[in-house]
Amino acid sequence: MNNAQSFTELLGMYDQLKDTDTELIMPSGDDVDSPERIERQLAEGVKRGQLWIADQGDDSLYVLVAEVNDDPRMATVIPLSNDLHSETDDSLVVGNTPLDIEMVAWPGLQAIIPVRLLYKPLKEFPESAVKAIEHDDLRFAKKTDAIRRGHDNEERDSPFVENREDITAILLKWHAMCFDLPKLHEEDEDAEASMTPERGTYAKALITVLQLPFDQVDDVLDGVVPLTDEQRASLADAGVQVPDAPKRTFHLPADLLVEVEQPAWRRDADEYAHRMDGDARVNLAQDAFTLAARPNGYGRAAWRGALQDAYRNRLAENDDLD
């Protein structure tokens, strides 16, 4: 099979995909739809060997996580399909899968995508199967993995993603989204100065003392809207010092930006997308930072409570406006 295609041909596939509805039908595997297992796996985060449904707009794919990258907002994935009509001679057919059905995998189509696209976790492959698929080498597989080489099939009547070319085009679009992720500034010498605790403390006071909504807090922090004399007096009575010149720009903490990209926040981010313009994940992270400043402790887990509170507050705020 000749797999070589020009970039122009790959880009041309986008037009072919516009009117194509893809569908993933969920088999009835043991506890595959268990809310408890799904919540547990979401809380544990993205890990090597996991099978996920990745979804964005009208595009959906099964993907095997081969590696979580150095930047945990991205993962290297390998696409799969549960439609055996789509197997090609550069694919592997895996008999023992988390869904208890045969699936086609394309080792040569590994791609780096944002983990925000991972929608639903579907349990894990054994490590032997992961290695065999990752390296396209059956010597890594165990007999129980039931992996064989695929072959070309001329029948293209599947209602699912039909072939490797469609999958390649989807992965190209998803990979391009990696370049839109906010820059992480954890190694920036000015990062700590640009996200000073004073700004966070001041922002929290605007919410707790003045009862300002999130949108107004952002405007005050950026110097767009000045405080009234009465508001300044209320802050002074509460022992809050008003900065003379609030910084107009700042860097969100890297660990917050990493945490908010995880699939666990997909539902909240989707809700934000319906209520606000811009990148929903960034909006959620900004609200969490404004609400909590630097929470007790460090690392991604320290931001989880702030993100939950920010989501609840934003929901309540919008409900009050309805």
Side-chain angles (χ1 to χ4, degrees), residues 238-251:
V240 178
Q241 182 178 357
V242 178
D244 293 332
K247 292 188 176 182
R248 290 185 60 82
T249 60
F250 71 102
H251 302 318

Side-chain angles (χ1 to χ4, degrees), residues 107-315:
L109 297 185
Q110 295 187 37
I112 298 174
I113 67 171
V115 297
R116 65 163 61 183
L117 297 175
L118 300 180
Y119 176 70
K120 182 178 181 180
L122 301 171
K123 303 190 291 185
E124 301 179 3
F125 283 91
E127 178 61 19
S128 56
V130 176
K131 284 186 176 180
I133 298 170
E134 178 184 33
H135 297 285
D136 194 14
D137 190 338
L138 296 181
R139 290 177 296 179
F140 289 105
K142 294 181 178 179
K143 186 176 182 179
T144 53
D145 296 327
I147 301 178
R148 66 171 174 82
R149 293 219 163 269
H151 57 81
D152 280 347
N153 190 329
E154 298 304 323
E155 297 181 20
R156 300 297 186 185
D157 57 354
S158 168
F160 308 116
V161 176
E162 293 180 348
N163 52 51
R164 66 184 304 283
E165 286 76 21
D166 288 347
I167 291 174
T168 300
I170 292 173
L171 291 175
L172 276 172
K173 289 192 291 186
W174 289 356
H175 177 65
M177 294 175 63
C178 294
F179 299 99
D180 294 328
L181 294 174
K183 181 180 179 182
L184 299 182
H185 292 271
E186 59 186 347
E187 296 180 359
D188 188 336
E189 293 180 356
D190 297 327
E192 289 298 325
S194 64
M195 57 179 184
T196 57
E198 289 79 8
R199 178 185 170 98
T201 301
Y202 180 43
K204 193 170 185 178
L206 294 176
I207 296 173
T208 58
V209 177
L210 300 184
Q211 304 296 312
L212 295 183
F214 281 117
D215 292 343
Q216 292 185 29
V217 169
D218 291 339
D219 289 339
V220 172
L221 289 175
D222 290 341
V224 176
V225 175
L227 294 176
T228 65
D229 292 340
E230 182 180 355
Q231 288 173 324
R232 287 177 174 272
S234 296
L235 290 172
D237 291 343
V240 178
Q241 182 178 357
V242 178
D244 293 332
K247 292 188 176 182
R248 290 185 60 82
T249 60
F250 71 102
H251 302 318
L252 288 169
D255 50 7
L256 172 58
L257 288 175
V258 168
E259 176 58 29
V260 79
E261 288 290 331
Q262 302 309 304
W265 302 105
R266 170 92 182 228
R267 180 201 64 184
D268 298 358
D270 286 349
E271 185 65 34
Y272 259 55
H274 289 122
R275 296 170 180 263
M276 302 175 66
D277 295 329
D279 189 314
R281 303 273 179 161
V282 173
N283 288 333
L284 177 57
Q286 288 174 334
D287 280 356
F289 182 76
T290 299
L291 181 66
R294 168 60 68 180
N296 293 328
Y298 293 86
R300 288 162 49 186
W303 288 106
R304 290 172 187 168
L307 286 165
Q308 292 170 353
D309 290 342
Y311 171 72
R312 286 193 291 263
N313 282 14
R314 176 65 71 176
L315 229 60

Side-chain angles (χ1 to χ4, degrees), residues 24 26 32-33 37-39 41-42 46 50-57 59-63 65 77 113-122 174 261-268 270 281:
L24 298 177
M26 294 302 306
V32 73
D33 289 316
R37 182 201 59 77
I38 291 172
E39 288 300 317
Q41 197 165 335
L42 287 172
V46 182
Q50 294 173 337
L51 177 67
W52 287 77
I53 292 177
D55 174 85
Q56 197 260 336
D59 298 326
S60 295
L61 289 176
Y62 292 111
V63 295
V65 176
V77 300
I113 67 171
V115 297
R116 65 163 61 183
L117 297 175
L118 300 180
Y119 176 70
K120 182 178 181 180
L122 301 171
W174 289 356
E261 288 290 331
Q262 302 309 304
W265 302 105
R266 170 92 182 228
R267 180 201 64 184
D268 298 358
D270 286 349
R281 303 273 179 161

